Amino acid sequence: MATRITKAPADLATADTTIKQYAGKINLAEVLVTRLRRLDDNTYTVALRWPRTHAFYAPTHQGYNPLLFVESVRQSLSVISYGGLDVPMEHRMSWEFLGCEVVRTALYGGTVPAAVEIDVRLEPVTRRRLGSIRFAARAHATR
């Protein structure tokens, strides 16, 4: 049985247990996404919380691990796919290409968890049979 929502809500928050399921993590404590906001059919803003320390993406001597950013993008696209684009939960995500540029100073740590926002624009969204989709995404993160 496919788990779907029929119309993406304008706003999903961490209080909704579904957002944690959409992030694709077995350990729900590792979910970074705290909110998904749909601006239009192809534009979303995703709010995330970076913990001061992370069991897998350990901080470097200069601050946050750059792989934490990559994981943030992965979780964001997962939440958008399942929570915003009606992709069945049984479908897996696959990537053909991922390129990132990170400004080093954006990774400098502080004494409290960091709030991060990722603005995502999808172009073009192509629906395939059985509910799968194909899209290219351009994401810009701020902290």
Side-chain angles (χ1 to χ4, degrees), residues 32-102:
L32 304 172
V33 176
T34 59
R35 181 173 297 279
L36 170 66
R37 199 167 116 231
R38 184 180 56 168
L39 304 178
D40 62 40
D41 287 344
N42 293 337
T43 309
Y44 296 83
T45 296
V46 183
L48 304 100
R49 182 184 162 277
W50 283 359
R52 267 303 298 132
T53 60
H54 191 282
F56 189 73
Y57 304 110
T60 68
H61 66 281
Q62 295 179 335
Y64 288 104
N65 188 321
L67 290 177
L68 188 61
F69 171 72
V70 175
E71 174 62 10
S72 297
V73 171
R74 189 206 64 75
Q75 285 189 27
S76 296
L77 293 177
S78 181
V79 169
I80 289 169
S81 294
Y82 298 125
L85 296 173
D86 200 26
V87 172
M89 289 291 293
E90 293 77 18
H91 286 74
R92 300 261 182 212
M93 283 183 39
S94 63
W95 300 35
E96 291 180 19
F97 173 78
L98 171 66
C100 294
E101 290 181 28
V102 179

Side-chain angles (χ1 to χ4, degrees), residues 46 48 50 69 72-73 76 101-103 106 115-120 138-143:
V46 183
L48 304 100
W50 283 359
F69 171 72
S72 297
V73 171
S76 296
E101 290 181 28
V102 179
V103 176
V116 177
E117 266 196 6
I118 299 180
D119 296 318
V120 180
R138 185 158 304 275
H140 181 263
T142 54
R143 176 177 163 225

